[in-house]
Amino acid sequence: MASKRKRVSTIAAVVAVAALASIPLSFTGPAELRAAVVGPFLLAGPGTALMLFLKPPRIRKGTGFEVLPLAVAIAVSVSLAAAILLSTAMLYTGFWHPSAAVALLAMFTLGLLAAVDRRSRRKEAAS
Amino acid sequence: MAVQAPWRVSASRLHRSDVGTQLPLVVTDAKHSRPPQHRADRGDPRVPGALAATAVTALILGVWALKTVNAQDIGGAGLIQVLPASYFFALGLNLAGFVGSLGLKVLRPWLLVVQLLVLIVILHGADPIIHGLPRLEASYRHLGITDYITQTGGLDRKLDAYFNWPGFFGLLAMLSNATGIHDLTWLATWAPVGVNVLLMPALLALTLRLSSNPRQAWAGVWMFYLASWVGQDYLSPQACALLLLLTLIACVLTVFPGWPWKPSGKLATRLRNLAHRLEPGKSAPMPIELPRLALVILAAVCVVLLAGMTVAHQLTPFAAIPILVMLALGGKSRLRFLPVLALLFPVCWLVLAATPFLIGHLHTLFGSIGNINAAASASLLNRVGGNPAHQFVVYSRLAEGAVIWILAGLGSLRGRRLRTPWLAAALGTIAPFVMFPLQSYGGELLLRIYLFSLPFAASLVVLPLLPLLPRGPSPPGLRQLAALLLLGSIIATGTVATRYGNDAIENFTPDEIAVANQLYATAPHGSVLIEAVHDTAWRYEHYAGYRYETVLQAEPARPGEPEPGCASITQLVPSAGAYLIVTASQITAADVINTGPSEGLQHFIDRCALQGGWSVEYRNNGGAIYHLQGAPNGI
């Protein structure tokens, strides 16, 4: 149980670092570094934060099926769908600011991760 | 309401319970949920290591074999005619490695993932390894649309359909703008590998819910990769939309299984009875209720996936409609609103957001609804043509599709006899066929139906070859493993022939790219650029900066169709003149597909060039650029 919690914390930390780094890097920086950080973040960042928020272990407890493939699939697909919808909205409104859009997705991700963190702290305090 | 159950259910045993009533759901105390397995129960620990070693060997050998292929030798029959024996040995080794991994006493997911990754690289990564450039002229167009959005930050919705479903290109442009990497050719080159890797979790999540045991689920994913010859895994909106669709269906089947209506109505009762007659085993267990917030969020996730699909691709949402409807009618999805939204989203998008496309293509969209003959002609008859080698490839594709669907049918019958879950997979296999009478989708509809149907069909294809009840979680026997390996080998060999059957047409050389680069360097902005055959690696930049024209479509000439003359080119030339590009791939395409003049494309061009007014602007091994003078009274 402790190792599972540690694993979740590690994933949350990696996503948080990627989201934090994506905010400045989406505006400036060496192209290779920006690609190495912003690319994976757009691919899976927001969706992973959402899955952490949903607490996959609880789904697993309830249903018993292997939840990991679905969690990974949702993490990737939600991230891609969010970026697709955001970019489409920008294109149709004539407000094309992709760097700002990445920053917005990063802030959304950080918000979800903060909620996850707050919840786990509350639980720890209660127990 | 949150349910904090003080127990957990083992993954594999719950799936046993899906099969029927014989194996009850095993609920164990959380503290003792995973009893230490006896070493002997887990088999020899050296075997997984050996199987991993076969995967690495297959990877090295497969990549090396592909690297030895000379792309110039690829002819009308495609890649299979030039592949060395070592490639097939590597493929066989990988197939045996996967089947061996599937036959272990205890499944090792990491090992199965490794085997599948190797399969993806050596079976679906041949083009990037051999050619090192994006496959298909459409890849280059997609790069051009992305470039247009990156440069302008806007859409030209009257230019073509792509700009009316811009989601995927917006995503790429966002990536390009936000990273500062403006050349995404590398991404297009390696897309077949990347797309298939990204599909794996969604496929596994789906097959886990379609099947009765994890071995069948893994084998279903394996079968998908083996039989996926359609090659839609390039850098394309449909590849992205397929990922969203599979995740959506997996999410629905996993989180929201069950009937959408209470069994009070007559129709609902009849449907339930019918479903129970078709799938007589105990129905899949309803998951323990999730917290309401989680359910709401996951339902919202389904809506977001549907919306993302809608703005990214014009066809995939229409495939989602019948699949979701059939799953609801079969008692596999309790989200009543989702099929309704699946219909509303694309229709509203078509009417409200894709209006320029709708106005210009009313007849194309709705003109052939219900005309099954037209659909069959476009998807089947019109595609069968070309030289004998190409016809062999086309017939092989049709045969492979038919074999998979027939095997899926047999799998359904077997599933019903064994009282194991099969109905959801069968419904998913059949549902995309509803699109067939609606329109031909440029003659590609049957191919797309196969693509949407395959993830479900693959799960049924392997069903008869895996042990189900009453042996439960025991691994397959040697005979079953041998049968699975034989089937996999036949289908994989077929896919090497079918997937890469058009390799000579669909791939381009650096020389051809140099010709296109020179064309853009030579032709002033706004010029008319003409391709002799619709098979040119161009439009990756200046997508809207020129007027692009095509003389011959890359499809077999229809019987009785007059041969094109030089006038078919000159009529496209305005008074200001135009530039004609003729490439090696175009010449091969005309030869293989039998399109255009019987004398051959190069002779035809040479003959037309003698008429006067033509001058060669550039020439290399990849092709040539001609400048065509316009007539004073030209268009």
Side-chain angles (χ1 to χ4, degrees), chain B residues 279-367:
Chain B
E279 197 176 44
K282 192 181 172 187
S283 59
M286 292 282 284
I288 298 295
E289 198 176 340
L290 287 165
R292 188 168 175 77
L293 178 65
L295 281 177
V296 171
I297 292 174
L298 285 168
V301 161
C302 292
V303 176
V304 167
L305 296 178
L306 211 49
M309 219 188 297
T310 302
V311 302
H313 192 229
Q314 57 270 54
L315 185 67
T316 309
F318 287 99
I321 300 167
I323 295 175
L324 287 170
V325 168
M326 285 213 181
L327 289 178
L329 292 177
K332 307 295 178 189
S333 161
R334 64 173 196 268
L335 287 182
R336 248 182 301 184
F337 69 90
L338 208 57
V340 180
L341 279 187
L343 178 66
L344 278 180
F345 276 6
V347 170
C348 288
W349 184 264
L350 191 63
V351 174
L352 301 174
T355 323
F357 177 81
L358 180 67
I359 291 169
H361 296 83
L362 275 172
H363 182 72
T364 316
L365 285 171
F366 306 110

Side-chain angles (χ1 to χ4, degrees), chain A residues 104-122:
Chain A
L104 187 70
L105 285 172
M107 284 189 278
F108 167 76
T109 304
L110 289 170
L112 278 176
L113 292 175
V116 172
D117 185 54
R118 204 163 42 241
R119 187 174 57 192
S120 61
R121 276 175 205 277
R122 214 166 38 224

Side-chain angles (χ1 to χ4, degrees), chain A residues 4 25-27 29-32 34-36 38-39 42-43 50-51 53-55 58-66 68-70 72-74 76-88 90-92 94-96 98-99 101-102 105 123, chain B residues 2 4-5 7-11 14-15 34 149 153-155 157 163-164 166-167 170-171 173-175 177-181 198 201-202 204-205 208 240 243-244 247 250-251 254-255 287-288 290-291 293-294 297-298 301 304-305 307-308 311 349 353:
Chain A
K4 188 177 274 181
L25 285 174
S26 64
F27 290 93
E32 290 76 16
R34 293 168 75 185
V38 177
L42 279 178
L43 182 69
L50 184 73
M51 288 318 294
F53 183 76
L54 282 175
K55 284 179 71 180
R58 182 174 288 176
I59 301 175
R60 183 179 180 149
K61 260 186 188 173
T63 59
F65 54 79
E66 282 294 342
L68 189 63
L70 182 62
V72 174
I74 291 179
V76 172
S77 297
V78 165
S79 303
L80 291 178
I84 283 173
L85 290 170
L86 200 54
S87 64
T88 306
M90 287 192 297
L91 287 169
Y92 269 79
F95 184 80
W96 181 250
S99 300
V102 172
L105 285 172
K123 261 196 180 163
Chain B
Q4 294 289 346
W7 42 263
R8 67 192 296 279
V9 181
S10 112
L14 183 86
H15 284 284
R34 193 172 287 182
I149 295 173
L155 300 170
R157 289 162 60 205
F163 287 100
N164 290 278
L171 168 72
M174 185 195 274
L175 177 74
N177 275 142
T179 59
I181 292 189
L198 287 179
L204 186 57
L208 276 169
C240 181
L243 172 64
L244 302 189
T247 306
C251 186
T254 307
V255 184
I288 298 295
L290 287 165
L293 178 65
I297 292 174
L298 285 168
V301 161
V304 167
L305 296 178
V311 302
W349 184 264

Side-chain angles (χ1 to χ4, degrees), chain A residues 10-28:
Chain A
T10 309
I11 295 170
V14 169
V15 176
V17 168
L20 267 176
S22 291
I23 295 174
L25 285 174
S26 64
F27 290 93
T28 184

Side-chain angles (χ1 to χ4, degrees), chain B residues 62-153:
Chain B
V63 172
W64 174 78
L66 290 171
K67 281 279 185 194
T68 61
V69 169
N70 182 1
Q72 304 298 320
D73 296 338
I74 300 171
L79 188 59
I80 197 165
Q81 66 188 105
V82 296
L83 283 171
S86 51
Y87 174 81
F88 292 99
F89 181 74
L91 187 59
L93 196 62
N94 175 245
L95 299 182
F98 180 88
V99 171
S101 305
L102 201 68
L104 289 176
K105 276 189 173 175
V106 177
L107 279 183
R108 261 92 170 172
W110 67 268
L111 185 58
L112 292 160
V113 167
V114 167
Q115 302 285 3
L116 289 175
L117 288 175
V118 172
L119 179 65
I120 288 171
V121 173
I122 60 178
L123 186 58
H124 296 285
D127 278 330
I129 293 170
I130 294 172
H131 303 281
L133 282 170
R135 176 184 147 261
L136 283 176
E137 55 85 26
S139 293
Y140 294 87
R141 267 188 287 141
H142 295 174
L143 289 174
I145 297 158
T146 305
D147 176 66
Y148 177 91
I149 295 173
T150 307
Q151 302 287 336
T152 66

